[in-house]
Amino acid sequence: MTVVSAHLSALPAPAAGFTARPARRRLGLRRQVPFARLLGVVLLLAAWSAGAYLGLLDPRKLSAPWTVVATAWELVTDGQLLSNIAVSVQRVGTGVVLGVLIGTTLALIAGLSRVGESLVDGVVQLKRSIPTLGLVPLMILWLGIGDGFKAVLIMLAVAVTLYVPTHSALIGIDRRLVELSEIQSVSRFDFIRQVVIPGSLPGFFLGLRLAVNTAWLVLVVVESVNATDGLGKMMQDAQNYGQADVILVALAVYGIFGLLCDSGIRILERKVLSWRQTLAD
């Protein structure tokens, strides 16, 4: 008995208040560093500059970064770059706006109705199986070589790209939420407004990011087909004259606009979906 008492007296006295828990291991992502996504771009530019400075790159095929900057300044001062940018942005803007409206409408029709899904989904999936750029000859035959066929092709690419993740998010809403809404006698309008739309927004924003990127990709091709202006036409002319620096200027503009559009959509997504807690938060 005295041995047990001696052992008990040797134990530390319990701390007053709450018992301290061991440190919790963080399994999610670390806190986001501002402008961290630009790190890869900076490293790429550094490697490009080093290769050009050391003479490892053929300037006829890949101009140095400072040469590209000087060429861009010349194109800006003579107005050629700005005028082509304005034309290209107008074409992309028209195609994206029309494509987003059509793609969202089709996704809602197919996601909220069995009849709508039967009528819409098969047609959209068939179009998705046909490369958009493969429609160039047919669009030229129907609409000519003006801006009409360019806007239509961008619109089709955007609509289909946006439709797929938006429709997938709509039909992927948890069945238990539907049953709960039915038990609570929620009206059809309130169900769509409070359950369907918030549940489909992550898929919509993902589709929007992919759609805008697709719009710029399609623009590069359609502006090289019998075009008289635009960044694609400028690249085609530079290819004919072997001007690698002009081609790189156009590619840099495409990349900058694509990055700005994607960043803008990301910011809008965080604002709209501020209620959502994800792994990256």
Side-chain angles (χ1 to χ4, degrees):
M1 193 68 174
T2 56
V3 176
V4 174
S5 301
H7 280 290
L8 291 176
S9 61
L11 294 176
F18 293 102
T19 303
R21 290 186 176 183
R24 184 178 63 178
R25 175 178 296 178
R26 183 179 176 87
L27 300 178
L29 299 178
R30 300 297 181 184
R31 181 173 297 180
Q32 187 175 4
V33 180
F35 307 105
R37 289 188 176 90
L38 296 178
L39 177 60
V41 178
V42 173
L43 293 177
L44 179 61
L45 291 175
W48 180 14
S49 301
Y53 180 78
L54 297 175
L56 302 176
L57 302 176
D58 187 353
R60 295 171 299 177
K61 298 181 179 179
L62 186 60
S63 303
W66 44 87
T67 304
V68 175
V69 172
T71 302
W73 178 251
E74 293 177 3
L75 294 174
V76 169
T77 53
D78 65 13
Q80 181 180 354
L81 182 60
L82 296 180
S83 61
N84 287 322
I85 289 177
V87 173
S88 296
V89 169
Q90 181 182 1
R91 289 169 178 161
V92 168
T94 303
V96 167
V97 170
L98 295 176
V100 168
L101 292 176
I102 294 175
T104 305
T105 302
L106 293 178
L108 290 173
I109 293 174
L112 299 178
S113 170
R114 290 295 185 185
V115 176
E117 186 177 25
S118 301
L119 296 175
V120 172
D121 191 64
V123 177
V124 175
Q125 298 301 332
L126 177 62
K127 165 59 192 73
R128 194 165 70 94
S129 302
I130 301 174
T132 301
L133 300 180
L135 298 175
V136 170
L138 188 60
M139 290 295 105
I140 293 178
L141 181 63
W142 287 354
L143 304 174
I145 60 174
D147 285 346
F149 96 93
K150 299 178 178 64
V152 169
L153 284 177
I154 295 174
M155 177 193 70
L156 290 175
V158 169
V160 173
T161 305
L162 179 67
Y163 169 89
V164 174
T166 305
H167 176 256
S168 178
L170 282 169
I171 63 177
I173 293 177
D174 196 334
R175 179 67 185 176
R176 290 171 294 182
L177 296 177
V178 181
E179 295 174 352
L180 178 61
S181 301
E182 293 173 349
I183 294 174
Q184 296 295 325
S185 300
V186 176
S187 65
R188 179 75 171 177
F189 176 78
D190 289 336
F191 171 70
I192 294 175
R193 181 173 62 88
Q194 299 181 8
V195 178
V196 174
I197 293 180
S200 62
L201 283 178
F204 170 79
F205 279 110
L206 173 61
L208 185 60
R209 290 175 56 196
L210 297 174
V212 171
N213 183 54
T214 302
W216 287 104
L217 295 177
V218 175
L219 179 71
V220 176
V221 178
V222 298
E223 283 190 337
S224 62
V225 179
N226 295 322
T228 58
D229 48 18
L231 292 172
K233 175 61 176 176
M234 187 176 73
M235 289 178 61
Q236 186 180 33
D237 292 340
Q239 177 189 357
N240 296 332
Y241 291 103
Q243 298 173 317
D245 52 346
V246 177
I247 296 176
L248 290 172
V249 169
L251 291 176
V253 172
Y254 280 127
I256 291 172
F257 274 100
L259 184 61
L260 290 176
C261 291
D262 187 75
S263 300
I265 296 173
R266 282 175 178 267
I267 294 173
L268 179 62
E269 181 181 8
R270 285 197 295 268
K271 296 293 184 181
V272 175
L273 302 180
S274 58
W275 49 267
R276 186 180 60 165
Q277 297 295 323
T278 63
L279 182 66
D281 295 331

